Amino acid sequence: MKAERPYPQIAITPKGEAALTGGHPWVYEGEVTSVTGSPADGGLVDVVSRRGSWLGAGFYNSRSLIRVRLLSRNANDRFDPDFWARRVKYAWDYRKTVMAPEELTCCRVIFGEADHFPGLTVDRFGPVLVAQVLCLGLDRVKDVIFSQLVRVLREDGQDIAGIYERNDVALRDKEGMAQGKGWYPLAGEPLPDFTRTDIVENGIRYTVDFENGQKTGFFLDQKYNRRAAAALAPGKRVLDCFTHTGSFALNAAKAGASHVHAVDISGDAVEMARRNACLNGLESKMSFETANVFDLLPALSGHPYDYIILDPPAFTKSHQTVEAAMRGYKEINLRAMKLLPRGGYLATCSCSHFMTEDLFCKMLRAAAFDAKVSLRQIEARQQSPDHPILWNVPETNYLKFYLFQVV
């Protein structure tokens, strides 16, 4: 029997009830039929069916299209420090199971809803935890969560210097939260005085600018995809498009590519990629260019590369822009397929949840048809396991990665 709770109640539609009972953790604005009590934005509410059956407890926000983010389906849960400590330990134990010990120094420690932390991302870069909070309710209890996070990791022997918050994202405005970034003050500890740190991934050293880099400073989800892509690189002339800080390019160069040309539209990213090449003694095998890939690819002719890597940013972040994104993805893939010789290799991916696997494959087929080539699939991959996919939460399944030979 459900224990008595002091929380206001949110009743929802049958459609919303079906989603929650099916395992999805969100209640949307249009699914709310009635409100009992006076829920505070960022406060806890009980979610019930139209017949009054208890479905779970979660964080409420009247300003968000996601009206409730479910936190627990256990009516006996009490959201005290022990509750959050259990959740942190559960997430950390999972990483320790699915990743090698040496990989735990740079990994995603908490992946939002997939780890039952609504709207929270925590990446680890050596001694630094970089956190981003996109849920008002969780933002209000982050003091407890962050203290438990540091305690659990340190008690496991991990060297943690502090937590850096990257809350400089527009989505916080929509949730009623201020933007900002900086070191989170841990009780009784001085604030660290650095904003960059070095990590090692796949045997390659990187300098991570967690203060100003994209997202949290480095994209950890492609860890094993970079390794798979590198396996095809020995002896190849490689073009790495959208290189960011050079991760695919560096993996290819280290694996034995004859030469790697790395391109990005951001001059700062290209400079960081160049520094990372020097950090690994790979600068003699690499060249770098600041350019728009959409302009660069049409300007190339012949078959200057044996292997092209396409790792673009998300071209779509909503259903409304999927068609435009399809055109963008098709253009770069079509151009790459035409530039490659028969027998050349293509690595291509999409990091947008809205660009589903079916749509991405449809685009690739159309690009190959127009380029008058065939694609021989080598591998189809997804995000690394520290970004776990919950099958009943489609939003957690976002990365599509393919390796092809063009024939």
Side-chain angles (χ1 to χ4, degrees):
M1 180 177 292
K2 183 179 80 68
E4 290 298 317
R5 290 172 174 268
Y7 311 137
Q9 283 193 352
I10 305 295
I12 61 174
T13 63
K15 178 183 176 184
E17 179 183 354
L20 287 194
T21 55
H24 202 282
W26 295 345
V27 175
Y28 290 97
E29 176 186 20
E31 295 170 344
V32 175
T33 59
S34 66
V35 178
T36 303
S38 302
D41 286 345
L44 287 164
V45 294
D46 281 327
V47 181
V48 298
S49 71
R50 56 180 174 166
R51 295 187 176 89
S53 300
W54 187 82
L55 301 172
F59 292 122
Y60 177 83
N61 191 346
S62 66
R63 296 183 57 171
S64 175
L65 291 176
I66 304 174
R67 196 52 50 95
V68 182
R69 294 176 184 260
L70 213 65
L71 183 59
S72 173
R73 302 172 192 274
N74 183 344
N76 294 312
D77 272 337
R78 290 296 176 265
F79 307 114
D80 55 16
D82 288 342
F83 170 86
W84 293 112
R86 288 193 300 272
R87 288 253 164 124
V88 169
K89 190 173 187 307
Y90 188 76
W92 183 241
D93 285 348
Y94 165 80
R95 270 79 186 171
K96 291 171 65 177
T97 299
V98 301
M99 305 184 80
E102 65 273 12
E103 294 172 332
L104 295 173
T105 58
C106 54
C107 70
R108 177 151 292 183
V109 179
I110 293 176
F111 183 40
E113 276 73 1
D115 286 304
H116 309 295
F117 284 88
L120 175 64
T121 296
V122 179
D123 285 340
R124 182 184 181 187
F125 303 119
V128 181
L129 299 175
V130 183
Q132 187 173 88
V133 184
L134 301 179
C135 169
L136 178 60
L138 198 137
D139 194 62
R140 294 191 172 174
V141 296
K142 70 180 181 182
D143 291 350
V144 175
I145 297 172
F146 286 177
S147 65
Q148 295 297 333
L149 180 62
V150 171
R151 182 188 63 80
V152 167
L153 267 62
R154 285 177 175 172
E155 287 182 358
D156 192 46
Q158 306 300 316
D159 176 23
I160 304 297
I163 298 176
Y164 192 88
E165 294 189 88
R166 282 298 303 269
N167 290 330
D168 52 336
V169 287
L171 187 57
R172 281 180 62 92
D173 297 334
K174 298 179 180 179
E175 296 283 319
M177 296 180 283
Q179 294 190 48
K181 59 183 177 179
W183 287 102
Y184 174 81
L186 293 171
E189 300 185 21
L191 296 179
D193 61 356
F194 59 96
T195 55
R196 291 183 177 182
T197 190
D198 285 356
I199 62 170
V200 177
E201 182 195 81
N202 296 341
I204 297 173
R205 291 180 63 196
Y206 301 89
T207 295
V208 177
D209 180 355
F210 54 84
E211 179 185 36
N212 297 309
Q214 292 184 34
K215 297 292 181 68
T216 60
F218 187 82
F219 296 106
L220 294 163
D221 51 4
Q222 297 269 33
K223 181 194 302 280
Y224 301 130
N225 297 340
R226 290 190 268 263
R227 190 182 300 173
L232 304 179
K236 306 290 191 303
R237 296 163 296 155
V238 181
L239 173 64
D240 179 30
C241 299
F242 311 97
T243 194
H244 189 226
T245 54
S247 52
F248 273 104
L250 288 163
N251 275 266
K254 183 178 175 63
S258 62
H259 187 79
V260 181
H261 189 57
V263 180
D264 200 278
I265 196 170
S266 166
D268 290 341
V270 168
E271 184 56 36
M272 182 68 79
R274 184 180 284 110
R275 286 199 295 267
N276 284 333
C278 294
L279 197 63
N280 290 275
L282 296 170
E283 62 272 25
S284 64
K285 302 180 63 176
M286 303 179 69
S287 55
F288 302 88
E289 182 177 358
T290 302
N292 186 329
V293 171
F294 284 91
D295 297 330
L296 174 71
L297 292 178
L300 299 174
S301 61
H303 302 300
Y305 300 101
D306 309 307
Y307 187 4
I308 297 177
I309 300 170
L310 300 174
D311 181 23
F315 288 164
T316 175
K317 296 184 179 180
S318 71
H319 290 294
Q320 289 73 28
T321 57
V322 166
E323 282 192 25
M326 285 278 282
R327 292 192 293 271
Y329 282 115
K330 183 180 178 183
E331 180 178 346
I332 59 173
N333 280 275
L334 171 62
R335 296 286 184 181
M337 292 174 195
K338 285 185 172 182
L339 282 172
L340 287 167
R342 297 297 170 127
Y345 292 87
L346 174 66
T348 184
C349 61
S350 167
C351 60
S352 171
H353 154 67
F354 297 99
M355 178 58 60
T356 64
E357 186 172 355
D358 286 345
L359 287 175
F360 193 62
C361 290
K362 179 181 178 182
M363 176 278 300
L364 288 170
R365 290 190 185 96
F369 180 83
D370 288 354
K372 298 180 173 57
V373 301
S374 295
L375 298 177
R376 176 181 287 159
Q377 181 176 313
I378 301 165
E379 279 194 80
R381 304 178 62 87
Q382 294 174 290
Q383 63 240 40
S384 57
D386 51 338
H387 299 63
I389 297 169
L390 291 186
W391 277 34
N392 48 6
V393 186
E395 292 80 3
T396 63
N397 183 5
Y398 67 94
L399 183 59
K400 284 75 59 181
F401 181 89
Y402 285 89
L403 290 172
F404 294 111
Q405 186 182 39
V406 176
V407 296

